Amino acid sequence: MNDLLGEWAMEVAEAELSIPLPRRWAHTQGVAERAEEVREVLGVDAGLLLAAATLHDVGYAPRLAATGFHPLDGARFLRDEHGADKRLARLVANHSFALLEAEERGLREELATEFPLLEEQLLVDALVYCDMTTTPDGDRTTAQDRVAEIRSRYGDDSVVGRFIRRAAPEIFASVERVEAALAAQPR
């Protein structure tokens, strides 16, 4: 079942991102690779993490950009067009502390009402880890370098710049928790 979910997620993400947004597609593929690397710490939720990692940025697809806020647009697409699992849609909607960016955009209540945060800390952290240790081109990076890259790309005074400054401590804490979980795994 998990393999089928991952295959479906890859097909959907590729169809929506590969041609109109090849760099975003490269990032997506890198994030999915990170998900494969951390699967052992998630057990039964490894397939869900892989699907969420693969679909986390699908809302950037031009045809899906209804609000211009990709976590919300992507989660709605998954729910409305694909009848996706509620946990998957909630992970996509809230990935990498999206609720803080939603607040900057005046969409906090909308996001929180439609897609409440999951209370599964390690699963949520694992998606943050996968996203925030992957460059826009799909390569591995540190969370600190990724946050710096985002700030540089968008500027500190932009919506994204304000959001990422607020989210950085939480992002770093999530990455540290996943790294600790990985280090605790038997070899």
Side-chain angles (χ1 to χ4, degrees):
M1 181 67 159
N2 285 341
D3 289 339
L4 290 177
L5 181 61
E7 288 174 21
W8 168 80
M10 192 60 74
E11 288 172 11
V12 171
E14 183 175 15
E16 297 297 337
L17 297 173
S18 66
I19 293 173
L21 300 169
R23 191 171 192 215
R24 184 66 55 189
W25 174 234
H27 169 73
T28 295
Q29 292 173 297
V31 174
E33 287 174 17
R34 297 295 94 66
E36 288 286 353
E37 295 168 10
V38 301
R39 68 183 301 125
E40 72 263 11
V41 300
L42 288 175
V44 297
D45 284 332
L48 180 59
L49 173 65
L50 177 59
T54 304
L55 293 164
H56 80 286
D57 277 352
V58 74
Y60 276 116
R63 78 174 195 89
L64 306 180
T67 68
F69 183 46
H70 78 277
L72 183 57
D73 293 337
R76 284 177 173 167
F77 161 72
L78 294 171
R79 178 192 64 200
D80 298 345
E81 288 192 33
H82 291 282
D85 175 88
K86 288 180 182 179
R87 289 171 70 215
L88 174 59
R90 288 170 66 185
L91 279 168
V92 168
N94 289 289
H95 75 273
S96 300
F97 301 97
L99 199 57
L100 294 175
E101 186 175 344
E103 189 174 292
E104 292 285 336
R105 294 175 179 274
L107 295 168
R108 181 184 174 91
E109 190 63 33
E110 203 168 335
L111 182 68
T113 301
E114 282 185 59
F115 302 100
L117 287 169
L118 286 177
E119 295 185 15
E120 300 164 70
Q121 188 69 56
L122 187 56
L123 179 59
V124 170
D125 284 345
L127 184 55
V128 172
Y129 171 87
C130 294
D131 186 21
M132 290 297 166
T133 60
T134 305
T135 69
D137 296 311
D139 298 320
R140 181 179 300 283
T141 190
T142 65
Q144 290 77 9
D145 286 348
R146 176 81 162 115
V147 167
E149 181 276 322
I150 292 167
R151 289 179 68 179
S152 173
R153 184 166 23 123
Y154 288 95
D156 281 337
D157 294 330
S158 70
V159 168
V160 175
R162 291 190 306 271
F163 146 70
I164 203 69
R165 282 196 326 269
R166 289 177 59 204
E170 297 299 328
I171 290 167
F172 300 151
S174 285
V175 169
E176 287 175 12
R177 287 190 292 267
V178 172
E179 288 173 344
L182 287 168
Q185 287 293 304
R187 299 283 172 206

